[in-house]
Every structure is written in structure tokens, then in C-alpha cells.
Amino acid sequence: MKKSFKLYRSSLLLIGAIIIGGIIGICFPAQTHYLKPVGDVFVNFMFMAIVPFVFLSISSAIASMNGTKRLGKIMGSTMLIFVFTAIISAILGYIAIRLFPLVQHANLDSIKALMGNGAATDEMALSDRLVGIFTVNDFSLLLSKEHMLPLIFFSVLIGLATSSLGEKGQPFAAFLKSGSEVLMKLVQFIMYLAPIGLGCYFAAIIGDLGSQIIGSYVRVIVLYVVLAIVYFIAMNTVYALLAGGKDGFRLFWSNITKPAITAIATCSSAASIPVNLKATKDMRVPHDIADTVIPLGANTHKDGSVIGGVFKIAFLYGVFNRDIAGFDNMLIIICCAFLVGAVMGAIPGGGMIAEVLIVTILGFPLEAVPLVLVISTIIDMPATLLNSSGNTVSAMMVTRLVEGKNYFKNKLKTTANR
């Protein structure tokens, strides 16, 4: 019982604080402005740490790479499958939020007042946004949280340059690693304030916007859970059939129960790695493929988080009365969700960075970050289920690409003849 509470403690504290904040906002709306400064302190601490945290964590991770030890065909197939399933997840998430809008008839004037008159910036042309993804016109601009994506690409380049120097780059790599660990500890300290900070901030939100936004959060969790169940059953079935036909279907569904339960119980893809490794090998996936796909997928392959990214973006679009219809909007939402869900998972603590990325990429005020932080908390469990189970079925599909279409059929025949 104590072990289970430890696993859930941070999530339970956040959910409890959000619930208490919501009750205070409903019951005492006129007094909630006294709580907002407390929430602002937490948010500001997070913004203060985010720029050095991103730079040091990414550049350190890249600089510490010692080159690939895995076969190129396995790695290439793995990346192909990861990108394929992430894009499918984003598209399905977009269809869901088009059919069932998360926010309706938002009061933009109240939102502007709550965000300190920091209304969402004007939507940029797609070409201008693409330029802003990769570059800024001055180094000093990289030190601003408004330019997170250029900072990420710059950090990757610094890491690659350090790694390419070999021994000459080791002192700087050690500095980056030490700095990354220090910032990770700092973020851990800041997150101790999260229950109080988010609770107070949420109370202010509810006090100013009323119960309407609570209904929007309820729609988020209900729609996400329904979509997660449908995705878990339907898409994993499709992927297992693609991997090995009826044999792949039977192998997957006869071995997925323990990994699924572990993912739900721990809310952690990393904690699910051991049981996922055993399950994929029981599915007859070759050891070298399983040992590559599962650990790599726990960090970089998060279909549930991609869908969650779509929901967060759609939520902000609804709150700020932006239209999600149209091909350009669809493309931006899907690409942004892919980035924050699939790519940011590779960065330690990337979930927090993802929230900042969403609002900066799409031109929302940074004060809106807590709005989507709440969504991250309430969808954590079903998102982890999709993230974790997606790795096992991806290992099967990688096996199909590497070993051929009849691999699972032949493997089962060989086992049966023994």
C-alpha cells in the first residue's frame, strides 16, 4: 500500500490541489485574486529555470553519445515505425477534437484579464513560423523563453560539436553533464511547490472564468479516456496484424496484459521497461530488436503524449477562440503535437518543457502554461498506457521490417515442432 502511494504521490497531490483550488474558485470567486500571486511565484520560478535547463539537458545528452552500437537496419526501422505511429496518433487526436470540441464559447475578455492582458499573439504565416523554429537573429534572443525551439536546435548543435571533438571536448561535456544534473535538481525543488502553486493558480482561473472551464477539463478527461481505450484496442490490433497477421495478433494480445497493468499502476514508461522487455521477447521478438526498441521507445516514442499534445493545443485554441479548422491549422497542430509528444519525451523532464513549447510555438501568452499543465496531470495514466503498449507493438513491427513478413508465423511453427 505504501509503495503504491509513493508511485502515485506526486500525481495525487497535484490532482488534490487542483480539486481544492477548483472548489475555492467556485465557492469564493471574489477572494481568489489573493491566491493568484502564490501561483505566479511557482510559474515564474519555472520560467526562470527553463532556458538553462533546456540548454544543459539537451546539449549534455547529445555530447555524451558515443556513437551507435546497433545495426543500422534496426535503428532505421525503429525510427520509421516511431514516426509512423506518432503521426497516426496525432491525426486521430485531431479528428477527435474536431468531432468533440473541448472548449465552447470562451469569454476572451475574462481570459485576457486573467493573463495580465497577455492575449495570444497574432497568428504568423506558416513560412515565418518555420524560420522562427530554427533561428533567431541574435544570440541574446536564445536566452529568452519565447524562443524555445531555436534554443533546442542550438543546444543540439552544441552537443554534436562537443561529441565530435572526442577527448578535446570531454572537459566541456563534463561541465554540461554536471550543469544538467544541477538544473534537474533545481527543477525538482521547484516542483515541490507545484501542488500549492497550481492549486492557487487554478483557484484564480476558476474564480475569474467560472465553472465553464471546469466543464472543459471534464470533457478533456472523458474524451481522452474514451479515445485511449479505443486506440489501445483498435490500433494495437491493427499494428499487430501488420506485424505478423493472425499470429502477430495472437502473440500480442496473449502477452500485453502485464505490461498494460504495469503502465497503469506506475504511470511511468521507464518503470515499465523490464516487463515490456520480457513481454516482447515472449512475443518472439528477437532479443537485439527488443533490447533496442523498448528502452529507446520509453524515451522517444510516446503516442499517448502525442494525442495529449493535440488535446492541449485544441484546449488553448478553444480558450482563446481560435479556429482549429483548415488545412494550415491542422498541419500546425499535428506537427506541434508530434514535436512535444514524441521528440520532447527524449529530454529529461521534457514534459514541463513541452507545455512551454506549445504556448511559444503557437503564440499564446506564457501565463497560459498552467492551463495545459493541468491537462498533463489528469491524462497521465491513460497516456502512459498508450505510450508503453505502443513500444511493444512497435517492436513487433520493427521485427516485420527487419526479419520479413513470415517471421512470426515461422517462429511459431518452429516452437510448435519442438
Side-chain angles (χ1 to χ4, degrees):
M1 187 72 178
K2 290 182 179 179
K3 188 175 180 180
S4 298
F5 176 74
K6 281 187 176 181
L7 290 171
Y8 282 106
R9 181 169 55 189
S10 59
S11 295
L12 289 173
L13 287 174
L14 280 176
I15 292 173
I18 290 168
I19 292 173
I20 293 171
I23 293 172
I24 293 173
I26 292 173
C27 298
F28 309 101
Q31 284 73 43
T32 54
H33 66 278
Y34 294 113
L35 298 177
K36 189 173 184 294
V38 179
D40 288 339
V41 168
F42 165 70
V43 174
N44 288 341
F45 268 128
M46 186 174 65
F47 288 155
M48 288 162 57
I50 198 74
V51 169
F53 176 70
V54 168
F55 171 72
L56 289 168
S57 62
I58 297 177
S59 56
S60 173
I62 300 297
S64 64
M65 289 183 177
N66 296 318
T68 180
K69 297 180 181 179
R70 299 175 177 88
L71 293 174
K73 189 174 183 181
I74 293 177
M75 289 298 296
S77 299
T78 300
M79 290 299 102
L80 179 64
I81 294 299
F82 283 0
V83 170
F84 170 72
T85 59
I87 291 175
I88 293 297
S89 301
I91 292 172
L92 293 176
Y94 180 79
I95 292 172
I97 55 98
R98 284 302 311 276
L99 294 175
F100 305 98
L102 301 179
V103 180
Q104 296 174 321
H105 312 300
N107 186 337
L108 191 57
D109 290 334
S110 298
I111 293 166
K112 285 181 179 179
L114 179 62
M115 300 299 165
N117 294 319
T121 58
D122 293 335
E123 296 186 52
M124 299 168 59
L126 184 59
S127 58
D128 293 334
R129 197 177 296 279
L130 288 174
V131 172
I133 284 175
F134 297 99
T135 61
V136 290
N137 59 15
D138 192 277
F139 174 78
S140 63
L141 296 177
L142 287 173
L143 305 179
S144 169
K145 59 185 177 293
E146 281 84 7
H147 300 102
M148 292 295 295
L149 278 176
L151 175 65
I152 288 171
F153 282 103
F154 182 77
S155 302
V156 169
L157 292 175
I158 289 292
L160 289 173
T162 304
S163 179
S164 68
L165 286 174
E167 290 186 6
K168 291 182 179 179
Q170 286 305 306
F172 189 66
F175 162 75
L176 292 174
K177 182 178 180 181
S178 177
S180 175
E181 291 175 355
V182 170
L183 265 295
M184 280 292 292
K185 179 58 69 173
L186 174 61
V187 169
Q188 183 180 337
F189 289 159
I190 294 172
M191 290 309 294
Y192 288 147
L193 302 174
I196 296 174
L198 277 182
C200 291
Y201 203 96
F202 196 66
I205 291 172
I206 300 303
D208 284 334
L209 301 184
S211 59
Q212 169 193 303
I213 200 164
I214 294 182
S216 298
Y217 282 120
V218 170
R219 282 195 289 274
V220 168
I221 185 60
V222 170
L223 180 58
Y224 191 95
V225 168
V226 171
L227 181 59
I229 293 172
V230 172
Y231 187 97
F232 177 74
I233 296 172
M235 295 310 302
N236 282 336
T237 295
V238 170
Y239 293 149
L241 289 171
L242 288 174
K246 293 180 180 179
D247 299 303
F249 172 87
R250 186 165 65 254
L251 284 169
F252 177 81
W253 285 110
S254 61
N255 291 284
I256 194 58
T257 302
K258 285 185 178 179
I261 293 173
T262 302
I264 292 172
T266 63
C267 289
S268 170
S269 295
S272 302
I273 288 177
V275 69
N276 272 350
L277 281 171
K278 184 180 186 307
T280 47
K281 291 170 184 177
D282 289 342
M283 294 172 190
R284 310 301 195 275
V285 172
H287 283 220
D288 59 346
I289 294 178
D291 292 340
T292 299
V293 175
I294 298 302
L296 186 63
N299 289 316
T300 61
H301 181 234
K302 298 178 179 289
D303 293 342
S305 298
V306 171
I307 297 174
V310 174
F311 275 50
K312 294 170 190 175
I313 296 166
F315 186 87
L316 290 178
Y317 267 59
V319 166
F320 289 95
N321 284 338
R322 279 195 190 175
D323 187 10
I324 63 173
F327 180 77
D328 284 352
N329 285 328
M330 179 188 73
L331 187 62
I332 289 172
I333 291 172
I334 288 175
C335 290
C336 184
F338 172 80
L339 177 68
V340 302
V343 179
M344 295 310 298
I347 302 170
M352 183 179 69
I353 303 171
E355 323 302 351
V356 180
L357 269 179
I358 287 175
V359 299
T360 54
I361 292 172
L362 300 175
F364 295 109
L366 285 166
E367 290 80 3
V369 168
L371 295 178
V372 286
L373 274 173
V374 172
I375 295 177
S376 293
T377 302
I378 62 179
I379 68 170
D380 189 30
M381 185 184 295
T384 304
L385 173 63
L386 298 188
N387 293 342
S388 181
S389 64
N391 293 329
T392 57
V393 78
S394 290
M396 296 183 70
M397 288 194 287
V398 171
T399 302
R400 164 71 172 81
L401 294 178
V402 174
E403 302 288 350
K405 65 179 181 179
N406 294 319
Y407 171 81
F408 289 104
K409 181 178 180 180
N410 295 335
K411 199 72 175 176
L412 285 175
K413 282 185 179 179
T414 302
T415 304
N417 292 331
R418 286 179 181 175

